[in-house]
Amino acid sequence: MTPVQINNIDHADLRVSPRAGPAFGDAANQALVFPAEFEELQREFAIIFRRRDEGLQAYALLGLDRDENLFLSGDYWTSRYVPASHQRGPFSIGMVRGTSDAVSQPMLHVDRDDPRVGDDDGLPLFLEHGGNTPYLEHVTGVLRLLYEGMESAPTAYAALDDAGLLAPVTLTIDVSEERRYTVPDVLVVDVERLAALTGEPLERLHHAGILRLAILAAASLANVQQLIARKQRLPGTAA
């Protein structure tokens, strides 16, 4: 991996393909997600939480078998929304310190070793006179979401946890009479605990915007049925 900071002089003619696929890490059964995405995510994916060494993290459930993404077909996603951690493609945020600035600033980088970078059939990053193309603006927005999400997510998820809204479960998913999947060691928003919130705890979560996250995450669990339907449409999977 060779991340290079992007600028409109050295990379005036650079094109990047937005294609996806297993070769680019998209064949995963879970995707790391962030609070700013929850509204879009809950229309397509089940949102679950896990405790990691670095703290609570949220994930979108994409598949049931290992390395399975049921929302991926060849080199493109079939879902209306793609998690930002996958939308970013070969782009990343790198901290760069200016010549007269002691504080490092987040700057857009691209991995020149990624085969999507330099693809003649890809999308340009810059306009003829140096401005950003819509594609580059989109990528910048995605990376901003990720950068800000990594800053804000720990506090948001800790608030859900402190309010007792996250319940440990083992998801049991029946795809057919013969095939059952279990997803262990996950946390989900407990609908009954959410409904029982009153008074000061309810007001506090509402004003902090955390209540809305909890409602979205709870509603997202209905998408397990869509996951089952996608799995059942695979060749060799009996309904």
Side-chain angles (χ1 to χ4, degrees):
M1 181 175 178
T2 308
V4 176
Q5 185 180 342
I6 293 174
N7 64 75
N8 62 1
I9 297 174
D10 297 327
H11 307 110
D13 299 320
L14 185 65
R15 289 176 173 266
V16 177
S17 171
R19 70 182 186 274
F24 308 118
D26 294 307
N29 62 13
Q30 295 174 34
L32 183 67
V33 297
F34 296 94
E37 302 180 88
F38 276 26
E39 183 170 355
E40 293 282 0
L41 291 165
Q42 62 89 27
R43 298 188 179 108
E44 305 257 5
F45 311 103
I47 300 171
I48 60 175
F49 299 85
R50 290 186 181 277
R51 294 192 192 277
R52 300 301 194 196
D53 291 341
E54 54 269 39
L56 279 165
Q57 293 185 333
Y59 297 86
L61 197 58
L62 306 178
L64 298 173
D65 283 305
R66 183 172 180 171
D67 301 327
E68 176 182 69
N69 182 349
L70 294 170
F71 299 86
L72 186 68
S73 178
D75 62 358
Y76 68 95
W77 288 66
T78 59
S79 53
R80 292 166 293 178
Y81 180 77
V82 176
S85 57
H86 289 264
Q87 281 192 61
R88 71 181 185 88
F91 298 94
S92 62
I93 289 287
M95 303 305 292
V96 177
R97 182 173 297 176
T99 55
S100 60
D101 190 354
V103 179
S104 296
Q105 300 293 327
M107 302 297 290
L108 183 64
H109 288 64
V110 67
D111 178 11
R112 291 305 303 259
D113 292 337
D114 191 295
R116 292 170 291 186
V117 178
D119 187 336
D120 291 339
D121 294 326
L123 300 175
L125 303 184
F126 296 102
L127 301 171
E128 183 179 352
H129 300 294
N132 294 352
T133 62
Y135 176 51
L136 186 55
E137 290 290 346
H138 169 74
V139 167
T140 301
V142 168
L143 290 171
R144 185 180 301 114
L145 184 155
L146 292 172
Y147 182 76
E148 294 174 354
M150 286 186 282
E151 296 288 321
S152 64
T155 300
Y157 301 156
L160 289 174
D161 201 24
D162 292 343
L165 294 180
L166 297 180
V169 299
T170 294
L171 292 180
T172 301
I173 302 172
D174 291 322
V175 174
S176 67
E177 291 183 2
E178 297 80 21
R179 185 174 297 183
R180 167 176 288 182
Y181 290 88
T182 57
V183 185
D185 304 321
V186 302
L187 299 159
V188 298
V189 171
D190 188 299
V191 177
E192 292 183 0
R193 295 180 191 176
L194 181 60
L197 273 180
T198 58
E200 192 276 333
L202 179 63
E203 288 295 318
R204 185 176 67 252
L205 291 180
H206 173 64
H207 288 301
I210 306 301
L211 183 63
R212 183 168 177 273
L213 290 181
I215 293 170
L216 291 171
S220 78
L221 296 177
N223 289 319
V224 168
Q225 293 303 315
Q226 182 186 165
L227 200 68
I228 292 172
R230 285 176 176 266
K231 184 69 170 177
Q232 289 174 339
R233 288 197 292 269
L234 291 180
T237 304

